[in-house]
Amino acid sequence: MEECGQVIIDGKTYRYVDFPTPRTKLLVIRGGKGILGCGYFSMSVAEKIDEALAIVRGVQSVEDMLEAEVRKVSPAARELGVTPGMTGRQAMQLMA
């Protein structure tokens, strides 16, 4: 069953979705300027629509996403200062 809720990161509230699929999960946290997504997301689509997207992999929960290393970053997210290698938490701080 999907779960939608809020997570507080450094005093700011963000919305998230945790949606199980038949083989995995789709996880996303939305900030005011961009989103942090799991490996389920397509960077090519984010680039096409100029969406700020940072992707983390190997995560099973929202908490995992915040601690995971950012693997891919769209150009729009890079403009906000998000870079591969930072944590999901650091990326969300920049995409608040």
Side-chain angles (χ1 to χ4, degrees):
M1 172 176 251
E2 74 264 7
E3 178 182 337
C4 298
Q6 298 179 344
V7 59
I8 298 173
I9 304 169
D10 300 326
K12 294 183 180 173
T13 303
Y14 301 84
R15 304 270 312 152
Y16 74 85
V17 175
D18 180 337
F19 186 87
T21 70
R23 297 188 179 178
T24 188
K25 284 184 160 192
L26 185 149
L27 293 159
V28 63
I29 303 172
R30 185 185 68 179
K33 298 177 186 172
I35 60 175
L36 179 66
C38 66
Y40 205 92
F41 285 84
S42 169
M43 187 58 68
S44 63
V45 172
E47 290 170 353
K48 187 181 292 186
I49 62 173
D50 198 31
E51 182 82 73
L53 170 66
I55 294 177
V56 294
R57 291 193 177 132
V59 294
Q60 292 297 312
S61 69
V62 169
E63 294 78 19
D64 288 350
M65 292 180 75
L66 297 176
E67 301 306 317
E69 179 180 328
V70 171
R71 301 296 184 140
K72 292 185 177 181
V73 178
S74 71
R78 194 173 299 277
E79 287 179 17
L80 296 172
V82 181
T83 59
M86 64 177 36
T87 66
R89 178 181 305 278
Q90 291 168 319
M92 288 310 303
Q93 290 167 336
L94 295 169
M95 297 189 293

Coordinates of all heavy atoms in Angstrom, one line a residue:
M1 N 0.8 -1.2 0.0 CA 0.0 0.0 0.0 C 0.9 1.2 0.0 O 1.9 1.3 0.7 CB -0.9 0.0 1.2 CG -1.7 1.3 1.4 SD -2.8 1.2 2.8 CE -4.3 1.1 1.9
E2 N 0.5 2.2 -0.8 CA 1.3 3.4 -0.9 C 1.2 4.3 0.4 O 0.2 4.2 1.1 CB 1.0 4.3 -2.1 CG -0.3 5.0 -2.1 CD -1.4 4.3 -2.7 OE1 -1.3 3.1 -3.2 OE2 -2.5 4.9 -2.8
E3 N 2.2 5.0 0.6 CA 2.3 5.9 1.8 C 2.6 7.3 1.3 O 3.6 7.5 0.5 CB 3.3 5.4 2.8 CG 3.4 6.3 4.0 CD 4.5 5.8 5.0 OE1 4.8 4.6 4.9 OE2 5.0 6.6 5.7
C4 N 1.9 8.3 1.6 CA 2.2 9.7 1.3 C 2.3 10.4 2.7 O 1.5 10.1 3.6 CB 1.1 10.3 0.5 SG 0.8 9.6 -1.1
G5 N 3.2 11.2 2.8 CA 3.4 11.9 4.1 C 4.3 13.1 4.0 O 4.6 13.6 2.9
Q6 N 4.8 13.5 5.2 CA 5.7 14.6 5.3 C 6.9 14.1 6.0 O 6.8 13.3 6.9 CB 5.1 15.7 6.0 CG 3.9 16.3 5.3 CD 3.2 17.5 6.1 OE1 3.5 17.7 7.3 NE2 2.4 18.2 5.4
V7 N 8.1 14.7 5.7 CA 9.3 14.4 6.4 C 9.9 15.8 6.7 O 9.9 16.7 5.9 CB 10.3 13.5 5.6 CG1 10.6 14.1 4.3 CG2 11.5 13.2 6.4
I8 N 10.4 16.0 7.9 CA 11.1 17.2 8.3 C 12.6 17.1 8.1 O 13.2 16.2 8.7 CB 10.7 17.7 9.7 CG1 9.1 17.9 9.7 CG2 11.4 18.9 10.1 CD1 8.6 18.1 11.1
I9 N 13.2 18.0 7.4 CA 14.6 18.0 7.2 C 15.1 19.4 7.6 O 14.8 20.4 7.0 CB 15.0 17.7 5.7 CG1 14.4 16.4 5.2 CG2 16.5 17.7 5.5 CD1 14.4 16.2 3.7
D10 N 15.9 19.4 8.7 CA 16.5 20.6 9.2 C 15.4 21.7 9.3 O 15.6 22.9 8.9 CB 17.6 21.1 8.3 CG 18.7 20.1 8.2 OD1 19.0 19.4 9.2 OD2 19.3 20.0 7.1
G11 N 14.3 21.3 9.9 CA 13.2 22.3 10.2 C 12.3 22.6 9.1 O 11.3 23.3 9.3
K12 N 12.5 22.1 7.9 CA 11.6 22.3 6.8 C 10.8 21.1 6.5 O 11.4 20.0 6.6 CB 12.4 22.8 5.6 CG 13.1 24.1 5.7 CD 13.8 24.6 4.5 CE 14.4 25.9 4.8 NZ 15.3 26.4 3.7
T13 N 9.6 21.3 6.1 CA 8.7 20.1 5.8 C 8.7 19.9 4.3 O 8.5 20.8 3.5 CB 7.3 20.4 6.3 OG1 7.4 20.7 7.7 CG2 6.4 19.3 6.1
Y14 N 8.8 18.6 3.9 CA 8.8 18.1 2.6 C 7.7 17.0 2.4 O 7.5 16.3 3.4 CB 10.1 17.6 2.1 CG 11.3 18.5 2.2 CD1 11.9 18.7 3.5 CD2 11.7 19.2 1.1 CE1 13.0 19.6 3.6 CE2 12.8 20.1 1.2 CZ 13.4 20.3 2.5 OH 14.4 21.2 2.6
R15 N 7.1 16.9 1.3 CA 6.2 15.9 1.0 C 6.9 14.7 0.3 O 7.9 14.9 -0.4 CB 5.1 16.3 0.0 CG 4.4 17.6 0.4 CD 3.1 17.4 1.2 NE 2.3 16.4 0.6 CZ 1.4 15.6 1.4 NH1 1.4 15.8 2.6 NH2 0.7 14.7 0.8
Y16 N 6.5 13.5 0.6 CA 7.1 12.3 0.0 C 6.0 11.3 -0.4 O 4.9 11.3 0.1 CB 8.1 11.6 1.0 CG 7.5 10.9 2.1 CD1 7.1 9.5 2.0 CD2 7.3 11.5 3.3 CE1 6.6 8.8 3.0 CE2 6.8 10.8 4.4 CZ 6.4 9.5 4.3 OH 5.9 8.8 5.3
V17 N 6.4 10.4 -1.3 CA 5.5 9.2 -1.7 C 6.4 8.0 -1.6 O 7.5 8.0 -2.1 CB 5.0 9.4 -3.1 CG1 4.2 8.2 -3.5 CG2 4.1 10.7 -3.1
D18 N 5.9 7.0 -1.0 CA 6.5 5.6 -0.9 C 5.5 4.7 -1.6 O 4.5 4.3 -0.9 CB 6.8 5.3 0.5 CG 7.4 3.9 0.7 OD1 7.3 3.0 -0.1 OD2 8.0 3.8 1.8
F19 N 5.7 4.3 -2.8 CA 4.8 3.5 -3.6 C 5.4 2.1 -4.0 O 6.3 2.1 -4.8 CB 4.4 4.3 -4.8 CG 3.3 3.7 -5.6 CD1 2.0 3.9 -5.3 CD2 3.6 2.8 -6.7 CE1 0.9 3.3 -6.0 CE2 2.5 2.2 -7.4 CZ 1.2 2.5 -7.1
P20 N 4.9 1.1 -3.4 CA 5.4 -0.3 -3.8 C 4.9 -0.7 -5.2 O 3.8 -0.4 -5.5 CB 4.8 -1.2 -2.7 CG 3.8 -0.5 -2.0 CD 3.9 1.0 -2.3
T21 N 5.8 -1.3 -5.9 CA 5.4 -1.8 -7.2 C 5.5 -3.4 -7.1 O 6.0 -3.9 -6.0 CB 6.4 -1.3 -8.3 OG1 7.7 -1.9 -8.1 CG2 6.5 0.2 -8.3
P22 N 5.2 -4.1 -8.1 CA 5.3 -5.6 -8.0 C 6.7 -6.1 -7.6 O 6.9 -7.1 -7.0 CB 4.8 -6.1 -9.3 CG 3.8 -5.1 -9.8 CD 4.4 -3.8 -9.3
R23 N 7.7 -5.3 -8.1 CA 9.1 -5.8 -7.9 C 10.0 -4.9 -7.0 O 11.1 -5.4 -6.7 CB 9.8 -6.0 -9.2 CG 9.0 -7.1 -10.0 CD 9.7 -7.5 -11.2 NE 9.0 -8.5 -11.9 CZ 9.3 -9.0 -13.0 NH1 10.3 -8.6 -13.7 NH2 8.5 -10.0 -13.5
T24 N 9.6 -3.7 -6.8 CA 10.4 -2.8 -6.0 C 9.6 -1.7 -5.4 O 8.4 -1.9 -5.1 CB 11.5 -2.2 -7.0 OG1 12.4 -1.5 -6.2 CG2 10.9 -1.3 -8.1
K25 N 10.1 -0.5 -5.2 CA 9.4 0.6 -4.6 C 9.7 1.8 -5.5 O 10.8 2.0 -6.0 CB 9.9 0.9 -3.2 CG 9.3 0.0 -2.2 CD 9.8 0.6 -0.8 CE 9.0 0.0 0.3 NZ 9.2 0.7 1.5
L26 N 8.8 2.7 -5.6 CA 9.0 4.1 -6.1 C 9.0 5.0 -5.0 O 8.1 5.1 -4.2 CB 7.9 4.4 -7.1 CG 8.1 5.7 -7.9 CD1 7.4 5.6 -9.2 CD2 7.5 6.9 -7.1
L27 N 10.1 5.7 -4.8 CA 10.3 6.7 -3.7 C 10.6 8.1 -4.2 O 11.5 8.2 -5.1 CB 11.4 6.2 -2.7 CG 11.1 4.9 -1.9 CD1 12.4 4.4 -1.5 CD2 10.2 5.2 -0.8
V28 N 10.0 9.1 -3.7 CA 10.3 10.4 -4.1 C 10.0 11.4 -2.9 O 9.1 11.2 -2.2 CB 9.4 10.8 -5.3 CG1 7.9 10.8 -5.1 CG2 9.9 12.2 -5.9
I29 N 10.9 12.4 -2.8 CA 10.7 13.5 -1.9 C 10.7 14.8 -2.7 O 11.6 15.0 -3.5 CB 11.8 13.6 -0.8 CG1 12.0 12.3 -0.1 CG2 11.6 14.7 0.2 CD1 13.2 12.2 0.9
R30 N 9.7 15.6 -2.5 CA 9.5 16.8 -3.2 C 9.9 18.1 -2.4 O 9.4 18.3 -1.3 CB 8.1 17.0 -3.7 CG 7.9 18.2 -4.7 CD 6.5 18.4 -5.1 NE 5.8 18.8 -3.8 CZ 4.5 19.1 -3.8 NH1 3.8 19.0 -4.9 NH2 3.9 19.5 -2.7
G31 N 10.8 18.9 -3.0 CA 11.1 20.2 -2.4 C 10.5 21.2 -3.2 O 9.9 21.0 -4.3
G32 N 10.6 22.5 -2.8 CA 10.0 23.6 -3.5 C 10.7 23.8 -4.9 O 10.0 24.3 -5.8
K33 N 12.0 23.5 -5.0 CA 12.7 23.7 -6.3 C 13.1 22.4 -7.0 O 13.6 22.5 -8.2 CB 14.0 24.5 -6.0 CG 13.7 25.8 -5.4 CD 15.0 26.5 -5.0 CE 14.8 27.8 -4.3 NZ 16.1 28.3 -3.8
G34 N 12.8 21.3 -6.4 CA 13.2 20.1 -7.1 C 12.9 18.8 -6.3 O 12.2 18.9 -5.3
I35 N 13.2 17.7 -6.9 CA 12.9 16.4 -6.3 C 14.1 15.5 -6.1 O 15.0 15.5 -6.9 CB 11.7 15.7 -7.0 CG1 12.1 15.4 -8.5 CG2 10.4 16.5 -7.0 CD1 11.1 14.6 -9.2
L36 N 14.0 14.6 -5.1 CA 14.9 13.6 -4.9 C 14.2 12.3 -5.2 O 13.1 12.0 -4.6 CB 15.4 13.6 -3.4 CG 16.4 12.5 -3.0 CD1 17.7 12.7 -3.8 CD2 16.7 12.6 -1.5
G37 N 14.7 11.5 -6.1 CA 14.0 10.3 -6.5 C 14.9 9.1 -6.4 O 16.1 9.2 -6.4
C38 N 14.3 7.9 -6.4 CA 15.0 6.7 -6.4 C 15.4 6.3 -7.8 O 15.1 7.1 -8.8 CB 14.2 5.6 -5.8 SG 12.7 5.2 -6.8
G39 N 16.1 5.2 -8.0 CA 16.6 4.8 -9.3 C 15.5 4.5 -10.3 O 15.7 4.3 -11.5
Y40 N 14.3 4.5 -9.9 CA 13.1 4.3 -10.8 C 12.9 5.4 -11.7 O 12.3 5.3 -12.8 CB 11.9 4.1 -9.9 CG 10.7 3.3 -10.5 CD1 10.7 1.9 -10.3 CD2 9.8 3.9 -11.2 CE1 9.6 1.2 -10.8 CE2 8.7 3.2 -11.8 CZ 8.7 1.8 -11.5 OH 7.6 1.1 -12.1
F41 N 13.4 6.6 -11.4 CA 13.1 7.8 -12.2 C 14.1 7.9 -13.4 O 15.2 7.4 -13.4 CB 13.3 9.1 -11.3 CG 12.1 9.3 -10.4 CD1 12.0 8.6 -9.2 CD2 11.0 10.1 -10.8 CE1 10.9 8.8 -8.4 CE2 9.9 10.2 -10.0 CZ 9.9 9.6 -8.8
S42 N 13.6 8.6 -14.4 CA 14.3 8.7 -15.7 C 15.0 10.1 -15.8 O 14.3 11.1 -15.8 CB 13.4 8.5 -16.9 OG 14.1 8.9 -18.1
M43 N 16.3 10.1 -15.8 CA 17.0 11.4 -15.9 C 16.7 12.1 -17.3 O 16.6 13.3 -17.4 CB 18.5 11.2 -15.8 CG 19.3 12.5 -15.7 SD 18.7 13.6 -14.4 CE 19.3 12.7 -12.9
S44 N 16.5 11.3 -18.3 CA 16.3 11.9 -19.6 C 15.0 12.7 -19.7 O 14.9 13.7 -20.3 CB 16.3 10.8 -20.7 OG 15.2 9.9 -20.6
V45 N 13.9 12.2 -19.0 CA 12.7 12.9 -18.9 C 12.9 14.2 -18.1 O 12.4 15.3 -18.5 CB 11.6 12.1 -18.3 CG1 10.3 12.9 -18.0 CG2 11.2 10.9 -19.2
A46 N 13.6 14.2 -17.0 CA 13.8 15.4 -16.2 C 14.6 16.4 -17.0 O 14.3 17.6 -16.9 CB 14.6 15.0 -14.9
E47 N 15.5 16.0 -17.8 CA 16.3 16.9 -18.6 C 15.4 17.5 -19.7 O 15.5 18.7 -19.9 CB 17.5 16.2 -19.3 CG 18.6 15.8 -18.3 CD 19.6 14.9 -18.8 OE1 19.5 14.4 -20.0 OE2 20.6 14.6 -18.1
K48 N 14.5 16.7 -20.3 CA 13.7 17.2 -21.3 C 12.7 18.3 -20.8 O 12.4 19.2 -21.5 CB 12.9 16.0 -21.9 CG 12.1 16.4 -23.1 CD 11.3 15.2 -23.7 CE 12.2 14.2 -24.2 NZ 11.5 13.0 -24.9
I49 N 12.2 18.1 -19.6 CA 11.2 19.1 -19.1 C 11.9 20.1 -18.1 O 11.2 20.9 -17.5 CB 10.0 18.4 -18.4 CG1 10.5 17.5 -17.2 CG2 9.3 17.5 -19.4 CD1 9.4 17.0 -16.3
D50 N 13.2 20.1 -18.0 CA 14.0 21.0 -17.2 C 13.6 20.9 -15.7 O 13.4 22.0 -15.1 CB 13.8 22.5 -17.7 CG 14.9 23.4 -17.2 OD1 16.0 22.9 -17.0 OD2 14.6 24.6 -17.0
E51 N 13.4 19.7 -15.2 CA 13.1 19.5 -13.8 C 14.4 19.3 -13.0 O 15.3 18.6 -13.5 CB 12.3 18.2 -13.7 CG 11.8 17.8 -12.3 CD 10.6 18.6 -11.9 OE1 9.5 18.3 -12.5 OE2 10.7 19.5 -11.1
A52 N 14.4 19.9 -11.9 CA 15.6 19.6 -11.0 C 15.4 18.3 -10.3 O 14.4 18.1 -9.5 CB 15.7 20.8 -9.9
L53 N 16.2 17.3 -10.6 CA 16.1 16.0 -10.1 C 17.5 15.4 -9.7 O 18.4 15.6 -10.4 CB 15.5 15.0 -11.2 CG 15.6 13.5 -10.9 CD1 14.6 13.2 -9.8 CD2 15.2 12.7 -12.2
A54 N 17.5 14.9 -8.5 CA 18.7 14.2 -8.0 C 18.2 12.7 -7.8 O 17.2 12.5 -7.2 CB 19.2 14.8 -6.7
I55 N 19.0 11.8 -8.2 CA 18.7 10.4 -8.1 C 19.6 9.7 -7.1 O 20.9 9.8 -7.2 CB 18.7 9.7 -9.4 CG1 17.6 10.2 -10.3 CG2 18.5 8.1 -9.3 CD1 17.6 9.7 -11.7
V56 N 19.0 8.9 -6.2 CA 19.8 8.0 -5.3 C 19.4 6.6 -5.6 O 18.3 6.3 -6.2 CB 19.5 8.3 -3.8 CG1 20.1 9.7 -3.4 CG2 18.0 8.2 -3.5
R57 N 20.2 5.6 -5.3 CA 19.9 4.2 -5.6 C 20.1 3.3 -4.4 O 20.8 3.7 -3.4 CB 20.9 3.7 -6.7 CG 20.6 4.3 -8.0 CD 21.4 3.6 -9.1 NE 21.1 4.2 -10.4 CZ 22.0 4.5 -11.3 NH1 23.2 4.3 -11.0 NH2 21.6 5.1 -12.4
G58 N 19.4 2.1 -4.5 CA 19.6 1.1 -3.4 C 18.9 1.5 -2.1 O 19.3 1.1 -1.0
V59 N 17.8 2.3 -2.2 CA 17.1 2.7 -1.0 C 15.7 2.0 -0.9 O 15.1 1.6 -1.8 CB 16.9 4.3 -1.1 CG1 18.2 5.0 -1.0 CG2 16.1 4.7 -2.4
Q60 N 15.3 1.9 0.4 CA 14.1 1.2 0.7 C 13.1 2.1 1.5 O 12.0 1.7 1.8 CB 14.3 -0.1 1.4 CG 15.0 -1.2 0.6 CD 14.2 -1.6 -0.6 OE1 13.0 -1.9 -0.4 NE2 14.7 -1.6 -1.8
S61 N 13.6 3.3 1.9 CA 12.7 4.1 2.7 C 13.2 5.6 2.5 O 14.2 5.9 1.9 CB 12.9 3.8 4.2 OG 14.2 4.1 4.6
V62 N 12.3 6.5 3.0 CA 12.6 7.9 2.9 C 13.9 8.2 3.7 O 14.8 9.0 3.3 CB 11.4 8.7 3.4 CG1 11.8 10.2 3.6 CG2 10.2 8.6 2.5
E63 N 14.0 7.6 4.8 CA 15.2 7.8 5.7 C 16.5 7.3 4.9 O 17.5 8.0 4.9 CB 15.1 7.0 7.0 CG 14.0 7.5 7.9 CD 12.6 7.1 7.5 OE1 12.4 6.1 6.8 OE2 11.7 7.8 7.9
D64 N 16.4 6.2 4.2 CA 17.5 5.7 3.4 C 17.9 6.8 2.3 O 19.1 7.0 2.0 CB 17.2 4.4 2.6 CG 17.1 3.2 3.5 OD1 17.5 3.3 4.7 OD2 16.6 2.2 3.0
M65 N 16.9 7.4 1.7 CA 17.1 8.4 0.7 C 17.9 9.5 1.2 O 18.8 10.1 0.5 CB 15.8 8.9 0.1 CG 15.0 7.9 -0.7 SD 13.4 8.6 -1.3 CE 14.1 9.5 -2.6
L66 N 17.7 10.0 2.4 CA 18.4 11.1 2.9 C 19.8 10.8 3.2 O 20.7 11.7 3.2 CB 17.7 11.6 4.2 CG 16.2 12.1 4.0 CD1 15.6 12.5 5.3 CD2 16.2 13.3 3.0
E67 N 20.1 9.6 3.5 CA 21.5 9.2 3.8 C 22.3 8.7 2.6 O 23.5 8.7 2.6 CB 21.5 8.1 4.9 CG 20.8 8.5 6.2 CD 21.4 9.8 6.8 OE1 22.6 10.0 6.8 OE2 20.6 10.7 7.2
A68 N 21.6 8.3 1.6 CA 22.2 7.8 0.4 C 23.0 8.8 -0.4 O 22.7 10.0 -0.4 CB 21.1 7.1 -0.5
E69 N 23.9 8.3 -1.2 CA 24.7 9.2 -2.0 C 24.0 9.5 -3.3 O 23.4 8.6 -4.0 CB 26.0 8.5 -2.4 CG 27.0 9.3 -3.3 CD 28.2 8.5 -3.6 OE1 28.7 7.7 -2.8 OE2 28.7 8.7 -4.7
V70 N 24.0 10.8 -3.7 CA 23.3 11.2 -5.0 C 24.2 10.7 -6.1 O 25.4 10.9 -6.1 CB 23.2 12.7 -5.0 CG1 22.8 13.2 -6.4 CG2 22.2 13.2 -4.0
R71 N 23.6 9.9 -7.0 CA 24.3 9.3 -8.1 C 24.2 10.1 -9.4 O 25.2 10.2 -10.2 CB 23.8 7.9 -8.4 CG 23.9 7.0 -7.2 CD 25.4 6.8 -6.9 NE 25.5 5.8 -5.8 CZ 26.3 4.8 -5.7 NH1 27.3 4.7 -6.7 NH2 26.4 4.0 -4.7
K72 N 23.0 10.7 -9.7 CA 22.8 11.4 -10.9 C 22.1 12.7 -10.6 O 21.3 12.8 -9.7 CB 21.9 10.6 -11.9 CG 22.6 9.4 -12.5 CD 21.7 8.7 -13.5 CE 22.4 7.5 -14.1 NZ 21.6 6.9 -15.2
V73 N 22.4 13.7 -11.4 CA 21.8 15.1 -11.2 C 21.5 15.7 -12.5 O 22.3 15.7 -13.5 CB 22.9 16.0 -10.5 CG1 22.4 17.4 -10.3 CG2 23.3 15.4 -9.2
S74 N 20.3 16.2 -12.6 CA 19.9 16.9 -13.9 C 20.5 18.3 -13.9 O 21.0 18.8 -12.9 CB 18.3 17.1 -13.9 OG 17.9 18.0 -12.9
P75 N 20.6 18.8 -15.1 CA 21.2 20.2 -15.3 C 20.5 21.2 -14.4 O 21.2 22.1 -13.8 CB 21.1 20.5 -16.7 CG 21.1 19.1 -17.4 CD 20.3 18.2 -16.4
A76 N 19.2 21.1 -14.3 CA 18.5 22.1 -13.4 C 18.8 21.9 -12.0 O 18.9 22.9 -11.2 CB 16.9 21.9 -13.6
A77 N 19.1 20.7 -11.5 CA 19.5 20.5 -10.1 C 20.9 21.0 -9.9 O 21.3 21.6 -8.9 CB 19.4 19.0 -9.7
R78 N 21.7 20.8 -10.9 CA 23.1 21.2 -10.8 C 23.2 22.7 -10.7 O 24.0 23.3 -10.0 CB 23.9 20.8 -12.1 CG 25.4 20.9 -11.9 CD 26.1 20.3 -13.1 NE 25.9 18.8 -13.3 CZ 26.5 17.9 -12.7 NH1 27.4 18.1 -11.8 NH2 26.3 16.6 -12.9
E79 N 22.3 23.4 -11.4 CA 22.2 24.9 -11.3 C 21.9 25.3 -9.8 O 22.3 26.4 -9.4 CB 21.2 25.5 -12.2 CG 21.6 25.4 -13.7 CD 20.6 26.0 -14.6 OE1 19.6 26.7 -14.1 OE2 20.7 25.7 -15.8
L80 N 21.2 24.5 -9.1 CA 20.9 24.8 -7.7 C 22.1 24.4 -6.7 O 22.0 24.6 -5.5 CB 19.6 24.0 -7.2 CG 18.4 24.4 -8.0 CD1 17.2 23.5 -7.6 CD2 18.0 25.9 -7.7
G81 N 23.1 23.8 -7.3 CA 24.3 23.4 -6.5 C 24.4 22.0 -6.1 O 25.3 21.5 -5.4
V82 N 23.4 21.2 -6.6 CA 23.4 19.7 -6.3 C 24.4 19.0 -7.2 O 24.5 19.3 -8.4 CB 22.0 19.1 -6.5 CG1 22.0 17.6 -6.2 CG2 20.9 19.9 -5.7
T83 N 25.2 18.2 -6.5 CA 26.3 17.4 -7.3 C 26.3 16.0 -6.9 O 25.9 15.6 -5.7 CB 27.7 18.0 -7.0 OG1 27.9 18.0 -5.6 CG2 27.8 19.4 -7.5
P84 N 26.7 15.1 -7.8 CA 26.8 13.7 -7.4 C 27.8 13.6 -6.3 O 28.8 14.3 -6.2 CB 27.4 13.0 -8.7 CG 26.9 13.9 -9.8 CD 27.0 15.3 -9.2
G85 N 27.6 12.7 -5.4 CA 28.5 12.4 -4.2 C 27.9 13.0 -2.9 O 28.3 12.5 -1.8
M86 N 27.1 14.0 -3.0 CA 26.5 14.6 -1.8 C 25.4 13.6 -1.3 O 25.0 12.7 -2.0 CB 26.0 16.0 -1.9 CG 24.9 16.2 -2.9 SD 24.2 17.9 -3.0 CE 25.7 18.9 -2.9
T87 N 24.9 13.8 -0.1 CA 23.9 13.0 0.4 C 22.5 13.5 -0.1 O 22.4 14.7 -0.5 CB 23.8 13.0 2.0 OG1 23.5 14.3 2.5 CG2 25.1 12.5 2.6
G88 N 21.5 12.7 0.0 CA 20.2 13.1 -0.3 C 19.7 14.2 0.5 O 19.0 15.2 0.0
R89 N 20.1 14.2 1.8 CA 19.7 15.3 2.7 C 20.4 16.6 2.2 O 19.7 17.7 2.1 CB 20.2 15.0 4.1 CG 20.0 16.2 5.1 CD 20.5 15.8 6.5 NE 20.0 14.6 7.0 CZ 18.8 14.4 7.6 NH1 18.0 15.4 7.7 NH2 18.4 13.2 8.0
Q90 N 21.6 16.6 1.8 CA 22.3 17.8 1.3 C 21.6 18.3 0.0 O 21.4 19.5 -0.2 CB 23.8 17.5 1.1 CG 24.5 17.3 2.3 CD 25.9 16.8 2.0 OE1 26.1 15.9 1.2 NE2 26.9 17.3 2.8
A91 N 21.2 17.4 -0.8 CA 20.5 17.7 -2.1 C 19.2 18.4 -1.8 O 18.8 19.4 -2.4 CB 20.3 16.5 -3.0
M92 N 18.4 17.9 -0.8 CA 17.1 18.4 -0.5 C 17.3 19.8 0.1 O 16.5 20.7 -0.1 CB 16.4 17.5 0.5 CG 15.8 16.2 -0.2 SD 14.9 16.5 -1.7 CE 13.6 17.6 -1.2
Q93 N 18.3 20.0 0.9 CA 18.6 21.4 1.5 C 18.7 22.4 0.3 O 18.2 23.5 0.5 CB 19.8 21.4 2.4 CG 19.6 20.6 3.6 CD 20.9 20.3 4.4 OE1 22.0 20.3 3.8 NE2 20.8 20.1 5.7
L94 N 19.3 22.0 -0.8 CA 19.5 22.9 -1.9 C 18.3 23.1 -2.7 O 18.1 24.1 -3.4 CB 20.7 22.4 -2.7 CG 22.1 22.5 -2.0 CD1 23.1 21.8 -2.8 CD2 22.5 23.9 -1.8
M95 N 17.4 22.0 -2.7 CA 16.2 22.1 -3.5 C 15.0 22.4 -2.7 O 13.9 22.2 -3.1 CB 16.0 20.7 -4.2 CG 17.1 20.4 -5.2 SD 16.8 19.0 -6.3 CE 16.8 17.6 -5.1
A96 N 15.2 23.0 -1.5 CA 14.1 23.4 -0.6 C 13.1 24.3 -1.2 O 13.4 25.1 -2.1 CB 14.7 24.0 0.7

